[in-house]
Amino acid sequence: MVRFEGTEHYVATEDLKVAVNAAITLERPLLVKGEPGTGKTELARQVASALGMPLIEWHVKSTTKAAQGLYEYDAVSRLRDSQLGDPRVNDVRNYIRKGKLWQAFEADQRVVLLIDEIDKADIEFPNDLLQELDRMEFFVYETGETIRARHRPVVIITSNNEKELPDAFLRRCFFHFIRFPDAETLARIVEVHFPGIKPSLLSTALTQFFEIRETPGLKKKPSTSEVLDWLKLILAEDLSPEELKRDPHSLLPRLHGALLKNEQDVQLFERLAFMARRRG
């Protein structure tokens, strides 16, 4: 039986590895929740890489309908072609566009199917996929055929927790919440992306990062992906630990645009600095 043990490019905690392998054993979708930027989408890519399986990605938008994952029938093009006398109209299959589930079901080998940010779609979206994900088959009305999965895909579904998912859908998934990494795990993640980073620079940067992240009143806490962007800039600028000291007049970190993504959070640190000066 295939097992996921992480990869050299992705630091997977023990409980995350257990969750992935449990979902594979149970043949149920793995529903992964967590803050944006904690590596949910990347998990699917690394699982595919580790298990030697192709990856099929379905990125969900607010306008996405579940049926699009199965197929779409282009009746307008068929009507136009019939008016032009195109012989293609005689075969309805010429006007059916296969969705991501169809692609996963007909693949010659087992694949990893990523359904990314399922909570972006309307509330009926997850329920509309229940039967197809359960039975691993669906019916194409236009051709009268049933499409069955040749190999059951490893299904990984991500959610940013923007809205509650239906209970009937949750019952069919194995659930895992990716917690924000602690300092030790985050240091391991950084070293994977920036091997050889100086320990003093890493320690200073992460200490400052966690101080910023834990500041009361912060509207959007910086994520793992944002600290990696910040460190990339720090290394590109060749800043020393001493140069990372925050501006006492604003308490903002160097290159703070990589960490703070709205004006309210920037103003929060400026107010804190102003209050600190008054107290001083």
Side-chain angles (χ1 to χ4, degrees):
M1 186 181 66
V2 294
R3 289 187 63 80
F4 175 66
E5 299 295 342
T7 72
E8 61 180 17
H9 303 295
Y10 188 88
V11 176
T13 58
E14 199 59 40
D15 59 341
L16 179 55
K17 288 186 278 189
V18 168
V20 171
N21 291 319
I24 293 172
T25 301
L26 293 172
E27 295 187 329
R28 290 189 177 276
L30 173 64
L31 174 61
V32 185
K33 289 188 178 184
E35 292 179 30
T38 49
K40 301 184 296 297
T41 302
E42 187 61 24
L43 170 66
R45 295 168 182 156
Q46 295 300 324
V47 168
S49 174
L51 302 183
M53 298 179 186
L55 174 67
I56 294 176
E57 302 187 33
W58 184 13
H59 298 286
V60 176
K61 302 176 181 178
S62 59
T63 55
T64 304
K65 302 298 180 186
Q68 293 172 303
L70 308 180
Y71 67 93
E72 291 182 272
Y73 170 52
D74 191 350
V76 174
S77 291
R78 193 181 188 197
L79 175 61
R80 184 191 63 236
D81 289 349
S82 69
Q83 293 169 338
L84 296 172
D86 193 321
R88 286 171 17 102
V89 299
N90 296 319
D91 188 352
V92 69
R93 289 176 176 82
N94 291 324
Y95 302 92
I96 290 178
R97 184 164 62 246
K98 297 174 182 179
K100 299 296 185 180
L101 264 74
W102 191 329
Q103 294 172 31
F105 286 5
E106 74 171 3
D108 291 331
Q109 66 181 98
R110 198 175 188 189
V111 304
V112 174
L113 172 63
L114 167 65
I115 304 176
D116 198 29
E117 298 190 331
I118 196 172
D119 52 327
K120 278 188 174 178
D122 67 46
I123 194 64
E124 291 306 315
F125 182 95
N127 280 336
D128 290 344
L129 286 177
L130 288 180
Q131 180 169 306
E132 288 75 17
L133 291 176
D134 251 0
R135 297 184 181 178
M136 286 287 140
E137 65 178 41
F138 62 89
F139 186 71
V140 183
Y141 293 95
E142 288 77 8
T143 64
E145 62 185 324
T146 298
I147 305 299
R148 295 184 177 87
R150 295 179 184 176
H151 308 278
R152 192 178 191 97
V154 175
V155 181
I156 297 178
I157 302 170
T158 73
S159 167
N160 287 329
N161 241 354
E162 291 181 7
K163 63 167 71 89
E164 287 297 317
L165 298 173
D167 288 346
F169 179 79
L170 294 175
R171 282 198 300 272
R172 289 165 169 82
C173 298
F174 190 92
F175 172 76
H176 182 74
F177 183 84
I178 296 185
R179 293 179 177 82
F180 193 83
D182 58 24
E184 181 182 343
T185 304
L186 189 55
R188 287 168 55 208
I189 292 170
V190 169
E191 286 164 357
V192 164
H193 289 267
F194 307 109
I197 187 171
K198 293 177 182 177
S200 58
L201 180 64
L202 177 59
S203 175
T204 301
L206 291 190
T207 297
Q208 193 173 128
F209 170 76
F210 278 104
E211 286 174 354
I212 293 164
R213 183 176 160 81
E214 292 161 12
T215 300
L218 206 60
K219 183 178 180 181
K220 184 195 176 303
K221 294 182 177 182
S223 68
T224 308
S225 63
E226 286 157 345
V227 74
L228 293 175
D229 284 347
W230 185 51
L231 282 164
K232 185 175 182 178
L233 290 172
I234 289 170
L235 291 170
E237 295 289 330
D238 197 22
L239 299 179
S240 67
E242 293 73 27
E243 290 173 315
L244 283 186
K245 290 179 181 177
R246 289 199 261 175
D247 181 350
H249 295 288
S250 66
L251 292 182
L252 289 168
R254 293 288 296 271
L255 304 165
H256 65 268
L259 297 176
L260 304 176
K261 299 302 177 76
N262 59 68
E263 64 277 14
Q264 295 97 317
D265 287 342
V266 172
Q267 291 166 2
L268 169 65
F269 283 96
E270 291 171 341
R271 286 198 304 273
L272 291 172
F274 176 72
M275 291 166 62
R277 289 198 301 274
R278 289 189 64 179
R279 285 197 300 270

